[in-house]
Amino acid sequence: MSGFLIKGVRVVGAEPTDLLLRDGVIAAAGKIGASAAKGAEVIDADGLVALPGLVDLHTHLREPGREDAETVDSGSRAAALGGYTAVCAMANTSPVADTAGVVEQVWRLGRESNLVDVQPIGAVTLGLAGERLAELGAMAESAARVRIFSDDGHCVSDPRLMRRALEYVKAFDGVIAQHAEEPRLTEGAQMHEGVVSARLGLPGWPAVAEEAIIARDVLLAEHVGARLHVCHVSTAGSVEILRWAKRRGIRVTAEVTPHHLLLTDEAARDYDPVFKVNPPLRTRSDVQALRAALVEGVIDAVATDHAPHAVQDKECEWGYARPGMIGLETALSIVVTTLLDELGWDGIAERMSRTPARIAGLAEHGHDPVAGQPANLTLVDPAARWTVDPARSASRSRNSPYAGQELTAAVVHTFFRGGATVLDGKAVR
Ligand SMILES: [Zn+2]
């Protein structure tokens, strides 16, 4: 067998066509006869939609350091099952990815697994301590070719350091991805500050702590003329600031997570720590504003913030639980379930593949599956309904907030560089 002949697939929702995958590329598209596809494995894709392989700008793979929670290999498998062909791995590992050595280690592990492209994100500051800049240039010039830098988990709160970081990455068109959280305003915070936190007696994380940093950073990005990316935007006020900044021509992009598009702070009512996340789940009106912003394009991309945690770090009292949720295998279904009518398949391809690939500078990704393009694609059954069972996740962790929830649309097959990583909803290896 050599390659795959995909029969009758709807490319980004268009009329059914055939695709021939050979030597890592889409070798042909259209009506393809058996002779042209000699030796290829035939896949009946009747009713399936082909999307460009999804690209995640925000994944925590936990390796090196917390291999009990996730590894590059297990996280890559979860990503492939979710329809991804590339993920950007956050730097808050142990040791922190703040040197060429660590980013190359993560990059190499990704190559060995060979399930998705693992693109390391470098730390902005040494040890994520927020005091001195990390070796940004050395990471950019390393084999991992780092282009995105982030202290995610922590905010680069010192404005002078943030300015220097923006100036530094401008030289090679890098981007600083900010976890926007003014730390003085969120000391001890446990959930969104509002009526629900008051009722539950939990210390609040006010929306202004996010908005103040985004406002400051878009002004710094304008002053420097560098690229800023805002991680996991969670409030209606942040959307207003981003809209203003984009109208002004500031080079800013932004992402939203599936959980911030679906869940609200009411989910905390039973103190179930699976719903504890940073930034926290917000209010119904924030969810509405985030959805509208994604449709409008003020928010550019959906990113998972897949944050696996070991059982003992999550199944404990709310106050002690680590913030974060897994999300690679559910992201596409959440977006389809909440926004397919408004976005259409083209809008979903734009916000989950093309735009994130562009932001991350991943030239092999974000291309619609048409003749001549790299064969990085995923085939989705839009009519499928399935129930989330975290025990069946390929992730090493189980902290999904959607356990027992029925979702629409399922990833059926995923192809990475022309090879199958997922067939019939199951990981090939
Ligand atoms: Zn973060």
Side-chain angles (χ1 to χ4, degrees), residues 58 60 90 92 150-154 178-181 231-232 255 278-279 305:
H58 193 146
H60 296 277
M90 273 300 173
N92 62 340
S150 182
D151 274 4
D152 183 60
H154 301 272
Q178 176 70 294
H179 168 115
E181 173 183 357
C231 296
H232 42 50
E255 69 188 34
N278 191 17
D305 195 3

Side-chain angles (χ1 to χ4, degrees), residues 107-334:
W107 177 78
R108 225 177 350 256
L109 288 166
R111 300 283 289 195
E112 283 166 18
S113 290
N114 199 32
L115 293 163
V116 293
D117 269 324
V118 174
Q119 176 57 54
I121 291 174
V124 177
T125 69
L126 281 174
L128 310 177
E131 285 161 11
R132 286 196 297 143
L133 281 189
E135 304 167 13
L136 309 186
M139 289 188 273
E141 286 161 20
S142 74
R145 295 189 77 256
V146 175
R147 286 296 174 274
I148 303 179
F149 296 87
S150 182
D151 274 4
D152 183 60
H154 301 272
C155 182
V156 181
S157 63
D158 178 341
R160 195 169 67 158
L161 208 51
M162 186 63 181
R163 175 188 176 170
R164 286 228 193 95
L166 288 163
E167 285 170 344
Y168 203 109
V169 300
K170 188 187 171 188
F172 50 86
D173 203 33
V175 58
I176 302 294
Q178 176 70 294
H179 168 115
E181 173 183 357
E182 168 47 58
R184 293 283 285 156
L185 292 173
T186 61
E187 281 172 21
Q190 291 290 332
M191 66 172 295
H192 172 65
E193 181 182 295
V195 290
V196 181
S197 67
R199 196 177 76 222
L200 298 179
L202 290 172
W205 196 132
V208 67
E210 175 173 305
E211 293 153 6
I213 292 292
I214 297 177
R216 181 200 77 178
D217 284 355
V218 294
L219 293 172
L220 284 173
E222 178 177 45
H223 182 68
V224 173
R227 286 169 64 204
L228 169 72
H229 178 73
V230 183
C231 296
H232 42 50
V233 171
S234 71
T235 81
S238 298
V239 169
E240 291 305 311
I241 297 161
L242 289 165
R243 183 182 287 112
W244 173 85
K246 287 189 163 193
R247 281 209 187 119
R248 206 170 149 90
I250 297 172
R251 301 173 75 196
V252 59
T253 54
E255 69 188 34
V256 63
T257 70
H259 48 273
H260 287 110
L261 290 172
L262 184 67
L263 305 172
T264 70
D265 58 346
E266 282 289 346
R269 64 184 167 269
D270 297 324
Y271 301 93
D272 181 348
V274 80
F275 297 108
K276 182 171 172 178
V277 65
N278 191 17
L281 301 173
R282 304 287 186 184
T283 66
R284 178 53 49 193
S285 60
D286 291 306
V287 168
Q288 239 94 58
L290 294 169
R291 289 183 183 185
L294 186 68
V295 172
E296 186 189 341
V298 169
I299 292 176
D300 303 82
V302 174
T304 67
D305 195 3
H306 175 81
H309 286 298
V311 170
Q312 69 271 19
D313 292 328
K314 211 55 195 171
E315 291 180 13
C316 52
E317 240 180 86
W318 181 285
Y320 296 107
R322 301 288 311 276
M325 335 173 136
I326 59 172
L328 285 166
E329 289 158 278
T330 46
L332 179 64
S333 296
I334 301 287

